[in-house]
Amino acid sequence: MAEPTFRAPKGTRDILPPESGRRRALVDRFADSAALSGFGEVVSPIFEDLGVFKRLGESTDIVTKEMFDFVDKGDPPQHLALRPELTASICRAYAEHRPIPPWKIWYEGPQFRYEQPQAGRYRQFTQVGVEILGADDPQADVDVIALGARFFESLGLRQVTLMVNSLGDESCRPAYMEALTAYLTDRVGDLSAQSQVTLERNPLRVLDSKRDEDQSIIDAAPVMVDFLGGETADHFDAVRSGLDELGIAYEISSRLVRGLDYYTRTTFEFAATALESAQNAVGGGGRYDGLVEDLGGPATPGIGFALGVDRILLACDAEDVFAAPGPSVSVFVVDVTGGSVALDACQRLRAGGIGADRAYGGRSMKAQMKVADRSGAPFAAIVGEDELAAGEVTLRDLRGESGQRRVALDDLVSDVRSLLSN
RNA sequence: GUGGGCGUAGCUCAGUUGGUUAGAGCGCCUGGUUGUGGUCCAGGAGGUCGGGGGUUCGAAUCCCCUCGUUCACCCCA
């Protein structure tokens, strides 16, 4: 293949029709269901002060080695970063604007991480998500999780597994960390080299290892839920019973630790089991009760999730659901008299709310009919010399058996409208 | 960041042990007389075989480097 002069940067891609229409439909559907649950949209900047993301934790790869950061032209220059995730931006916005809690918001947009691309993993990827700030109630957790679960169902996905865990809070996690660290340290010689390094940085993350040699050790490791204190245990119980009440299936996964350090108590993840690849997490989230305060705001509990649009679409492919939307125009105007009638007819149809398109460049009728067919439009409006002289068009049914007939150009909009309505 | 697979027309791919002007299907364009698409038929456009270097009389075919892609680790959506 001849190498083009420029191509989309590594890990990025162009999303073209009809796939782009499918993404649009997915985001629209998410927006609808979020609005139905009382969430409003927040549109936040695509880059932030680097410090906003630094607060996510020094032991997360997302912050330490996957950030697209740069300095601007200011004096003094400001150190900025393309957002690697959106929860931090939302918390920054909350701390900045102090909306009335509970603040229920949803968002959509691209995020950036400097990673090795592979299936379902891109340097620019899109997430949709929701957050509730200022609500400690376990029923907020349930509402949020339910929104995610129902959204996957609404797309037609059936092979999505919900895993839930609690990571405790500052009152009980230290005891667990101590027990886990002691347990892993005792067996450090049997851990993979990678996990030995991870143990030094963040013992919790060892539970995430997929290396074979680690599995038996991980399976027998102490689990957080056994260490939950009274309040956090009650919270977790309430979340579970809430999910049970709503009939939402889930698994308790004691190894679900998530990648961001800010999580406390409830954490969860949606895995698309129809995906063969390792990148089968289509969504995840949890509580982050200390994040707003870390960013300079008032102590505020928070819970939310982010769903990966790119991966969801891959999962939809794997399950063969949520197909791209069909054609968008209803009438294709074929004009072999120079094109001015097509110009006029298209404007009339569009003004009347009817999708219309046409060919350009004065091609033959045969060629224009081919384009009309390809457009997916149910009707063609054909204009030849006869029609031009009579002020009419030939309205032809391209998909059914009703043939064609002549109609006055002035009646085109109303005739098409009545044809489309039955 | 580490390791493996792959990289031939817009797309999906063939290309024999390296040997003359690189092929197919689909798609696209133009036709198949006298205004009509979806089937059929005939033509046509389109590739310096990802890029660079090397081996050789000769390389898409072998070697090296590089870029991209893909899979796994890692990480995560």
Side-chain angles (χ1 to χ4, degrees):
Chain A
M1 183 190 318
E3 190 72 5
T5 307
F6 294 112
R7 49 168 29 155
K10 181 172 183 167
T12 70
R13 64 218 172 106
D14 301 305
I15 297 160
L16 313 175
E19 182 65 13
S20 51
R22 196 173 172 222
R23 292 171 69 90
R24 168 68 61 192
L26 185 147
V27 172
D28 286 350
R29 179 168 306 194
F30 184 79
D32 289 346
S33 56
L36 214 51
S37 295
F39 291 83
E41 183 180 11
V42 169
V43 180
S44 63
I46 238 166
F47 55 87
E48 296 267 2
D49 192 290
L50 181 70
V52 170
F53 304 120
K54 287 276 187 193
R55 301 301 169 87
L56 295 175
E58 291 299 334
S59 72
T60 75
D61 284 6
I62 289 175
V63 173
T64 56
K65 44 186 224 194
E66 296 181 359
M67 205 111 76
F68 279 94
D69 64 312
F70 59 98
V71 293
D72 69 11
K73 300 177 192 300
D75 183 21
Q78 191 175 4
H79 200 167
L80 301 164
L82 298 180
R83 62 189 184 195
E85 60 112 61
L86 262 160
T87 303
S89 292
I90 297 302
C91 289
R92 191 229 79 224
Y94 182 86
E96 182 173 334
H97 303 290
R98 304 294 175 92
I100 300 165
W103 197 44
K104 300 176 65 174
I105 61 90
W106 71 273
Y107 57 76
E108 165 269 322
Q111 280 137 88
F112 307 86
R113 294 179 194 172
Y114 191 84
E115 300 187 276
Q116 284 307 312
Q118 59 181 254
R121 193 168 81 179
Y122 309 99
R123 290 186 173 179
Q124 175 177 335
F125 59 100
T126 301
Q127 289 189 156
V128 294
V130 299
E131 313 286 351
I132 301 180
L133 291 170
D136 191 52
D137 191 332
Q139 291 191 359
D141 304 34
V142 176
D143 254 350
V144 163
I145 295 171
L147 175 59
R150 300 300 188 217
F151 176 64
F152 288 120
E153 285 174 16
S154 82
L155 296 175
L157 291 170
R158 292 292 172 268
Q159 299 174 55
V160 175
T161 303
L162 168 62
M163 289 171 295
V164 179
N165 192 22
S166 176
L167 293 179
D169 60 17
E170 64 280 1
S171 73
C172 53
R173 202 190 313 195
Y176 173 65
M177 292 300 288
E178 200 173 310
L180 178 65
T181 306
Y183 170 85
L184 292 173
T185 305
D186 278 352
R187 293 158 182 76
V188 67
D190 295 327
L191 285 172
S192 63
Q194 192 70 45
S195 290
Q196 292 181 21
V197 176
T198 307
L199 176 57
E200 296 298 317
R201 281 171 48 218
N202 186 345
L204 215 47
R205 202 64 56 68
V206 175
L207 299 178
D208 239 356
S209 168
K210 286 176 190 143
R211 292 173 173 275
D212 288 341
E213 57 264 49
D214 295 331
Q215 296 312 308
S216 61
I217 295 176
I218 292 169
D219 287 341
V223 297
M224 182 66 228
V225 290
D226 292 337
F227 288 76
L228 294 180
E231 269 184 46
T232 52
D234 288 348
H235 188 97
F236 192 44
D237 287 344
V239 171
R240 293 172 59 178
S241 61
L243 292 173
D244 291 338
E245 278 177 43
L246 294 180
I248 292 171
Y250 62 93
E251 297 171 7
I252 303 292
S253 175
S254 58
R255 293 164 54 173
L256 179 62
V257 298
R258 314 279 315 136
L260 286 330
D261 285 343
Y262 55 64
Y263 284 115
T264 59
R265 298 198 277 182
T266 311
T267 58
F268 57 94
E269 187 168 300
F270 296 98
T273 54
L275 290 178
E276 303 267 326
S277 72
Q279 268 65 48
N280 71 347
V282 289
R287 277 206 165 271
Y288 43 90
D289 293 337
L291 190 53
V292 174
E293 199 171 2
D294 281 348
L295 288 165
T300 307
I303 176 147
F305 65 65
L307 312 181
V309 172
D310 311 87
R311 288 187 189 173
I312 292 171
L313 258 8
L314 289 174
C316 287
D317 288 339
E319 291 200 38
D320 200 23
V321 298
F322 202 68
S328 54
V329 298
S330 301
V331 181
F332 195 96
V333 181
V334 171
D335 179 356
V336 292
T337 67
S340 53
V341 178
L343 206 54
D344 178 33
C346 281
Q347 290 304 321
R348 292 186 192 216
L349 287 160
R350 293 165 187 163
I354 296 166
D357 199 3
R358 53 164 294 188
Y360 297 109
R363 299 175 66 185
S364 71
M365 178 170 290
K366 177 172 179 149
Q368 292 192 49
M369 284 301 291
K370 274 177 98 97
V371 181
D373 185 55
R374 205 189 303 149
S375 76
F379 298 101
I382 302 166
V383 183
E385 296 302 337
D386 293 355
E387 288 88 346
L388 179 63
E392 297 177 334
V393 304
T394 294
L395 194 54
R396 179 175 173 80
D397 181 0
L398 293 174
R399 311 299 156 189
E401 301 299 320
S402 52
Q404 63 186 43
R405 63 195 169 85
R406 296 270 288 257
V407 305
L409 184 56
D410 287 337
D411 297 333
L412 179 61
V413 173
S414 57
D415 283 8
V416 169
R417 189 175 287 140
S418 69
L419 281 169
L420 288 171
S421 65
N422 54 27

